[in-house]
Amino acid sequence: MRKFITLVMLLSLLLIVSGCDTDTTSKAIAPPMEVKSEEIINDYIRDQTSAEQKYKDKNVKLTGKVISKGQFNNASNFFIIAGVKNLGEKKYALLVDYPTDKVNVVNAAKIDDFIVVEGIVVGVVPQKDPTLVSIQISAGKK
């Protein structure tokens, strides 16, 4: 009888351990959300709160056109403006933020070039000018 109880306990322990398997191979990383710059801007124009819920902190694969490029005033990072839309008194701009080690990507881009970039959406970044809605994506982060 003692051997039977020990066997049942061992089988129970084995079942418990096998149920707690941490198989990470079955958890696939979600592919980036493919989106055009105009689509993001239009979503933020329609409803900023729901656009933040849809995009903020999400991995996206953005397609757009280089409108302008430069360096941020408050950081050493560089940016490419991949979309702009004026609506009333507000100006909506979609900026792709590149770290300093990716300056060659920014330098190689020409105005009116078509770009495809993957990164994490930061969302709306407050500006000194309240009429400017700056939507930013951090390039290279996943």
Side-chain angles (χ1 to χ4, degrees):
M1 182 69 168
R2 195 171 180 183
K3 286 182 180 183
F4 178 73
I5 292 174
T6 304
L7 181 62
V8 169
M9 289 179 69
L10 285 173
L11 286 174
S12 298
L13 183 60
L14 181 64
L15 289 173
I16 290 171
V17 170
S18 67
C20 296
D21 186 17
T22 57
D23 180 20
T24 57
T25 58
S26 64
K27 295 179 184 176
I29 297 173
M33 180 188 326
E34 293 190 22
V35 65
K36 294 180 181 178
S37 58
E38 300 87 21
E39 181 182 343
I40 290 179
I41 291 172
N42 288 334
D43 284 346
Y44 273 89
I45 288 171
R46 264 190 301 280
D47 184 356
Q48 187 171 325
T49 302
S50 56
E52 287 279 276
Q53 290 174 349
K54 182 177 180 180
Y55 296 111
K56 189 171 181 157
D57 299 324
K58 302 285 189 321
N59 186 22
V60 297
K61 185 174 184 180
L62 177 78
T63 56
K65 190 166 94 171
V66 178
I67 295 170
S68 179
K69 57 186 185 172
Q71 186 172 13
F72 288 104
N73 294 332
N74 61 349
S76 57
N77 287 11
F78 297 88
F79 65 84
I80 288 178
I81 297 178
V84 173
K85 191 167 190 176
N86 294 310
L87 186 66
E89 293 182 10
K90 290 199 176 194
K91 180 178 185 176
Y92 293 81
L94 180 62
L95 286 79
V96 181
D97 176 0
Y98 290 88
T100 54
D101 63 338
K102 299 288 184 193
V103 68
N104 58 337
V105 175
V106 176
N107 287 336
K110 307 254 184 297
I111 304 301
D112 292 331
D113 275 359
F114 181 76
I115 60 167
V116 177
V117 62
E118 193 171 328
I120 299 293
V121 177
V122 176
V124 174
V125 176
Q127 302 295 306
K128 289 180 184 178
D129 181 355
T131 65
L132 177 60
V133 179
S134 178
I135 308 156
Q136 295 183 16
I137 297 174
S138 186
K141 292 189 178 179
K142 296 179 185 175

